[in-house]
Amino acid sequence: MPILTKEAAQALLKKVLAYSKADECEVTLFGGDSGNVRYARNEVSTSGANSRNMLVVNSAFGKKLGTATINEFDDASLEKVVRRAEELARLAPENPEYMPILGPQQFVEPSAQYNENTAAVDPAYRADAVAKSLAITKQNKLVAAGYLENNVAFSAIMNSKGLFAYNSSTNINFSITVRSEDGTGSGYASKSYNDVRKLDAGKETSIAAQKASGSRGAKAIEPGKYTVILEPAASIVLIEQLIGNMDARSAEEGRSFLSKAGGKTKLGDKLMDDQVTIYSDPWHPDMPTAYWNNDGRPQEKTTWIDKGVVKNMYYSRYWAQKDNVKAIPSPDAFIMEGGTASLEELIKSTEKGILVTRLWYIRPVDPQTLLFTGLTRDGTFYIENGVIKHPVKNFRFNESPVIMLNNVEALGRPERAVSGESNQSAILPPMKLRDFTFTSLSDAI
């Protein structure tokens, strides 16, 4: 089934709703096509394509809700899935937190999440990009493993109260790990864009190759607190945890880093350095996202942290009604402001410190302080008097993004990065931070 246009999705959803006998019915439709190529040991190992479409029907009788899904869209199947959702709703217990579906919403114009050039990516493009990547690693006698995937997708929502929204998107994602032939050096690079014209697989491969060559012969140094420079691929995996835990309900119920005694929260408190401002904006030219949330609420440009102060938390509709406040959806991506310095300039300004390419295997230690542990990998280097002196063995760390963002010395020029943990993208700067806590050494490369 091809990607549905706005008009085709609207017609299909109207047909589904016409079958409904429930008090309320909401139907979500989504799908997409993707293609990929994977390579390892300097040769392609797999290449493939995937197409999927799914229809989700939510039917409600009072506060009793039933949900059914289907991926067959003939008339008989559509009626069948509606009947099934209604059957489940009648069997379900009442949900005390059920919220009536929304009526028509005032949406701003769609964001530029869909790009024709990316939608046109084909196997020939993917093969050419991988060939350029492998030419670099083979020329430098290095070994590469990488993954390139592009996709085009759509989503739509319609309900029995007249709400309708549609969104289309494209994305291309590239990641590569490069190792030295003896396996003692490793480098990594990754990028994700809506617009394929912004991706340069050869450039990213060269960066990973330089890290791999430069990280051979790593020396062990004592764990402890160090000034660090985190590249965006490293810091994103911690800062996404901060943004992902700004839920108002968790804060008020005492389960969050934003909790205070007595059900109060740290909304309005200054928790981080003055240099820290984080916001979301579906219409950002370099980070466009959907202009509506999955329950039909409009997304807006929202500031979450302003010069270190917690300005907003996100609220479900139920919790917002309970608190008598605006129901703010959680963001699909975030943007962190920075400075104008390059990564090289941050290194040059550092008397003693450690450059971290990537953090991985992130695991929670204490949710109420957002303390996490994990490992460095794919290129960790010791800096002395403004220059990289030598590679160092990898570390395990224990650190909280809240504490980390209190210890900001300088922020560089923001750039788009992709998380190696969640595969989500963000715009954020390289960061020079003091007193980052490394707890032990790791034998990982």
Side-chain angles (χ1 to χ4, degrees):
M1 181 176 177
I3 298 299
L4 294 185
T5 64
K6 180 178 180 180
E7 293 73 22
Q10 191 170 25
L12 178 58
L13 292 175
K14 282 182 178 179
K15 181 186 290 187
V16 176
L17 284 172
Y19 293 120
S20 175
K21 299 177 182 179
D23 296 341
E24 294 185 335
C25 184
E26 186 165 84
V27 188
T28 304
L29 175 66
F30 58 90
D33 294 326
S34 65
N36 65 79
V37 61
R38 187 186 303 274
Y39 54 108
R41 295 184 177 180
N42 281 350
E43 60 183 34
V44 172
S45 55
T46 62
S47 177
N50 182 52
S51 181
R52 69 188 185 103
N53 290 280
M54 184 69 69
L55 185 92
V56 182
V57 179
N58 290 300
S59 297
F61 295 96
K63 291 188 173 185
K64 302 171 71 173
L65 178 67
T67 300
T69 65
I70 201 166
N71 60 2
E72 297 176 291
F73 299 153
D74 59 276
D75 290 357
S77 296
L78 294 176
E79 182 174 12
K80 178 182 178 181
V81 73
V82 173
R83 296 284 89 83
R84 180 59 175 161
E86 292 172 350
E87 178 186 5
L88 292 171
R90 291 188 178 96
L91 294 171
E94 285 198 350
N95 179 1
E97 297 185 5
Y98 177 78
M99 293 297 295
I101 59 177
L102 295 168
Q105 300 293 297
Q106 291 295 116
F107 295 112
V108 184
E109 63 189 35
S111 62
Q113 202 178 4
Y114 180 90
N115 181 274
E116 291 283 358
N117 296 290
T118 313
V121 169
D122 58 11
Y125 171 91
R126 295 192 293 270
D128 184 58
V130 171
K132 291 177 181 176
S133 174
L134 290 177
I136 293 169
T137 57
K138 290 177 180 178
Q139 181 181 354
N140 290 280
K141 292 183 170 51
L142 299 168
V143 182
Y147 186 69
L148 176 65
E149 180 179 39
N150 61 283
N151 67 69
V152 55
F154 77 97
S155 57
I157 186 172
M158 183 182 285
N159 67 31
S160 54
K161 285 188 177 178
L163 181 146
F164 174 71
Y166 175 90
N167 187 67
S168 58
S169 64
T170 56
N171 191 69
I172 187 159
N173 192 322
F174 175 71
S175 63
I176 183 168
T177 300
V178 178
R179 293 284 177 94
S180 59
E181 288 184 329
D182 62 4
T184 64
S186 183
Y188 174 82
S190 63
K191 288 294 179 184
S192 178
Y193 297 106
N194 302 91
D195 186 347
V196 66
R197 293 171 297 181
K198 296 180 179 180
L199 176 64
D200 186 339
K203 177 183 175 183
E204 300 307 320
T205 300
S206 294
I207 291 171
Q210 291 170 5
K211 294 285 182 79
S213 297
S215 61
R216 286 179 292 192
K219 301 178 181 179
I221 62 174
E222 284 296 316
K225 289 186 178 293
Y226 286 88
T227 294
V228 298
I229 296 174
L230 298 185
E231 296 191 25
S235 59
I236 187 174
V237 297
L238 290 176
I239 298 178
E240 70 179 355
Q241 296 289 348
L242 183 148
I243 298 300
N245 282 278
M246 295 189 71
D247 172 59
R249 181 172 189 169
S250 295
E252 291 179 22
E253 291 183 341
R255 298 181 285 113
S256 162
F257 79 101
L258 293 174
S259 300
K260 282 184 176 179
K264 296 184 178 182
T265 73
K266 296 176 183 176
L267 184 65
D269 289 5
K270 189 173 188 302
L271 299 184
M272 299 157 207
D273 189 90
D274 289 343
Q275 298 177 72
V276 178
T277 294
I278 303 174
Y279 66 97
S280 56
D281 180 4
W283 298 273
H284 192 288
D286 294 320
M287 184 54 65
T289 57
Y291 63 97
W292 51 276
N293 192 45
N294 56 12
D295 61 6
R297 285 180 284 170
Q299 290 279 18
E300 300 177 1
K301 181 178 179 180
T302 304
T303 298
W304 304 99
I305 308 290
D306 184 22
K307 296 179 180 177
V309 177
V310 180
K311 298 296 288 186
N312 280 294
M313 299 183 292
Y314 47 86
Y315 290 80
S316 68
R317 290 177 57 219
Y318 170 78
W319 205 254
Q321 177 180 269
K322 173 185 170 296
D323 285 358
N324 195 28
V325 298
K326 182 178 179 179
I328 303 174
S330 59
D332 291 329
F334 65 88
I335 299 104
M336 180 174 174
E337 294 183 356
T340 59
S342 65
L343 177 64
E344 291 73 23
E345 288 169 330
L346 290 180
I347 293 170
K348 192 174 182 179
S349 70
T350 303
E351 184 179 349
K352 288 184 179 181
I354 294 174
L355 173 64
V356 178
T357 298
R358 186 183 178 198
L359 300 176
W360 75 297
Y361 206 61
I362 310 302
R363 295 294 182 269
V365 176
D366 180 8
Q368 290 194 306
T369 61
L370 279 191
L371 183 64
F372 288 87
T373 189
L375 300 167
T376 67
R377 69 174 296 181
D378 296 320
T380 307
F381 303 92
Y382 184 69
I383 303 167
E384 188 173 88
N385 296 325
V387 297
I388 293 176
K389 298 294 286 187
H390 56 78
V392 295
K393 289 193 68 172
N394 284 305
F395 294 101
R396 174 168 292 281
F397 70 87
N398 275 14
E399 194 59 81
S400 163
V402 179
I403 296 172
M404 180 178 93
L405 294 178
N406 258 297
N407 292 332
V408 176
E409 290 197 356
L411 299 176
R413 190 182 305 120
E415 62 182 69
R416 182 159 167 160
V418 59
S419 167
E421 296 287 314
S422 68
N423 212 34
Q424 296 297 304
S425 294
I427 293 176
L428 68 171
M431 304 177 189
K432 182 178 176 181
L433 311 163
R434 60 184 174 272
D435 294 335
F436 194 89
T437 306
F438 294 117
T439 55
S440 61
L441 293 175
S442 167
D443 288 327
I445 303 299

